Amino acid sequence: MRRTPLGRRPVIAVAALVAASALLLTGCASDPLADQFREGSGKNYIAGDGSISEYEQADRGEPISFTGETVEGDAFDSADTLGEVTVVNFWYAGCAPCRVESPILEEVHQGYETDDADVAFIGVNVRDQAGTAASFEKKYGVSFPSILDVESGEAQLAFAGPVPPAAVPTTIVLDREGRVAARVLGQLTEASILESLVDRVLDEQA
């Protein structure tokens, strides 16, 4: 346990993703995401309130499976991270809270990497092409990979059922079986918050 400081797809597919997201948000009356979505505030992103949700092992449902091509052109498959605790961060370059939280995510990532802990990090870029995403990673020193999800929306759809990540940014912690164990809805403000969430999942029986 760690305790150290700190070519375009068819338009129909995109339309289906938007429709699915709208239905999910409409059905979550108590979710601040749903309120902002219905409000139609015209923001460039749907902002979460920083609220944290943790899920007991019995309530985590089925494992989340998703794949994609990284900003660097490599293939990513979530099956390769099974057995590790996986941090999934949804972001895009024009999102101001994403820029603020990126050094925090990188700090936590580096800490676990230094400790050789069983923790993987993967970003999901929901809006940008590779060039824009790569420029962001270089500018903010982000070393963990991100997949590009703007054209297919496959990663977003994979998470849409149990824990819709409609706020950008959203950070999700998957347990060793690939199930959603925790969610930070909106900007991550402190490294210690994410560390605590990850540590609690690391402490669970594998």
Side-chain angles (χ1 to χ4, degrees), residues 90-103:
F90 290 80
W91 68 281
Y92 66 92
C95 160
C98 301
R99 296 192 292 269
V100 174
E101 74 169 10
S102 60

Side-chain angles (χ1 to χ4, degrees), residues 115-135:
D115 286 353
D116 199 24
D118 291 331
V119 180
F121 276 67
I122 182 73
V124 178
N125 185 293
V126 302
R127 185 170 297 189
D128 303 319
Q129 299 298 328
T132 302
S135 295

Side-chain angles (χ1 to χ4, degrees), residues 29 64 69 96 106 121 127 136 140 150 163 172 194 201 205:
I64 304 294
E69 182 177 304
E106 180 63 19
F121 276 67
R127 185 170 297 189
F136 180 99
Y140 293 98
V150 61
V163 188
I172 292 174
L194 182 55
V201 182
Q205 292 295 323

Side-chain angles (χ1 to χ4, degrees), residues 34-54:
D35 296 337
Q36 186 172 330
F37 184 86
R38 289 192 296 268
E39 172 189 300
S41 61
K43 295 179 180 178
N44 290 328
Y45 58 91
I46 298 178
D49 59 2
S51 61
I52 299 168
S53 300
E54 295 185 85

